[in-house]
Amino acid sequence: MRYTVLIEPAPGNLAACVPDLPGCVATGDTLEDLLEEIRQAIEFHIESLRDHGEPIPDPQCTAAVVEVASAG
């Protein structure tokens, strides 16, 4: 499965969340670290859903980067 991951800077590191898996978040010092941490978080999150007999959400979200003229 391929889930969309939102990445943003946080004080002193990077943070990520998965919109299709509420509560699935991770942080990392580098982008490489963050991607490994969120991959593990997704796997753990799905495993927890299975263990509790809850449905596993299919990936639904997508992301795009949109250019706009500068506000200045």
Side-chain angles (χ1 to χ4, degrees):
M1 288 191 276
R2 294 171 59 114
Y3 285 97
T4 298
V5 174
L6 302 179
I7 300 169
E8 61 185 343
N13 63 7
L14 296 167
C17 68
V18 183
D20 288 318
L21 301 171
C24 186
V25 298
T27 62
D29 292 328
T30 66
L31 181 58
E32 183 178 287
D33 291 339
L34 176 63
L35 293 176
E36 181 57 30
E37 292 293 327
I38 197 65
R39 183 176 295 106
Q40 290 176 11
I42 291 168
E43 290 170 354
F44 179 77
H45 195 93
I46 290 171
E47 182 180 321
S48 178
L49 290 171
R50 280 192 184 117
D51 288 348
H52 291 93
E54 297 180 35
I56 298 166
D58 288 328
Q60 302 278 326
C61 292
T62 60
V65 175
V66 177
E67 277 190 54
V68 297
S70 74

